Amino acid sequence: MALRLLPRKAWRNWRRSDDLRIPLRSTDTEDASRRFLLYGALPLWVVPGLADWWMHKRTRIEHTSGTKESAVHALMMTEAGVPVLMGLLARVNPLVLTVMGGAALVHGATAVYDVSLAVGDREVRPVEQHIHSFLEVLPLTALAFTACLHADQVRGALRGGTGPEDWRLLPKERPLPATYLAALAGVIVAGVAVPYAEELWRCLRTAAHEGSRP
């Protein structure tokens, strides 16, 4: 089943096809939508994430809700990261759209749990709640633009698919430029992975230190 879902042969030469062109000056609706999704929504998603990390640091998360809340943040990043990675590398088909939709629902539910966990142990200021609004709406925005760009695949997903390839993880026929993928990866590592890894490490270190006290 796993081999059918992720065909290895299809991925061996996925970078050998021509890259997808993303015109910067085109006013065509499809080009503008793809440009906003790739150069707007995805990179800007890092900004409220970094701001939220700063709010956790200001309210000394390591001494309040601690490792438990920080672990939930890591879970939420995984819930968002998996569909984003699929959308960047894989062909958008009913399988990918279904994963994206399911991940958005799970991410929203986890966000509610995250806030309920935080307010019981530390101060969650109005500005942090406002930051959460951006973190919740941007994934839905990205999903909406992806769905609009692939309306035929949305229709196929609603009908249960039209063939076996609709439910297989296949590489894009025209991959995104390697320079774009590398730049976006750098932004995500610097603005999300590193800060939240630091937060989790800080919480674990504080928990270990407080646990060693007599």
Side-chain angles (χ1 to χ4, degrees), residues 36-116:
F36 172 79
L37 176 62
L38 296 176
Y39 294 117
L42 290 180
L44 286 177
W45 199 351
V46 173
V47 176
L50 193 58
D52 199 36
W53 166 82
W54 177 248
M55 294 303 300
H56 303 161
K57 189 177 179 68
R58 283 192 63 184
T59 53
R60 296 169 62 82
I61 186 175
E62 67 272 19
H63 294 290
T64 53
S65 50
T67 304
K68 188 174 182 179
E69 187 188 354
S70 187
V72 172
H73 297 157
L75 174 61
M76 293 173 66
M77 284 185 285
T78 302
E79 293 167 351
V82 169
V84 167
L85 187 63
M86 292 176 69
L88 290 172
L89 303 181
R91 189 179 308 175
V92 177
N93 58 14
L95 171 64
V96 171
L97 288 170
T98 300
V99 172
M100 287 181 173
L105 292 174
V106 173
H107 183 271
T110 308
V112 173
Y113 172 70
D114 173 52
V115 174
S116 65

Side-chain angles (χ1 to χ4, degrees), residues 187-209:
V187 169
I188 292 173
V189 169
V192 178
V194 171
Y196 281 91
E198 184 273 338
E199 175 186 284
L200 184 58
W201 173 80
R202 184 163 20 98
C203 290
L204 289 169
R205 182 186 62 178
T206 301
H209 178 70

Side-chain angles (χ1 to χ4, degrees), residues 107-191:
H107 183 271
T110 308
V112 173
Y113 172 70
D114 173 52
V115 174
S116 65
L117 182 68
V119 295
D121 294 320
R122 67 179 179 86
E123 180 186 7
V124 181
R125 302 178 183 181
V127 65
E128 184 175 345
Q129 291 281 24
H130 194 57
I131 291 169
H132 291 167
S133 299
F134 285 97
L135 289 171
E136 292 166 15
V137 77
L138 282 173
L140 298 177
T141 301
L143 176 60
F145 270 82
T146 302
C148 290
L149 287 167
H150 301 277
D152 57 329
Q153 298 300 322
V154 174
R155 188 179 298 113
L158 294 175
R159 293 175 177 175
T162 58
E165 289 197 349
D166 285 348
W167 302 102
R168 301 174 74 187
L169 195 61
L170 300 168
K172 289 186 180 297
E173 295 177 350
R174 298 183 65 191
L176 294 174
T179 50
Y180 170 80
L181 293 175
L184 183 62
V187 169
I188 292 173
V189 169

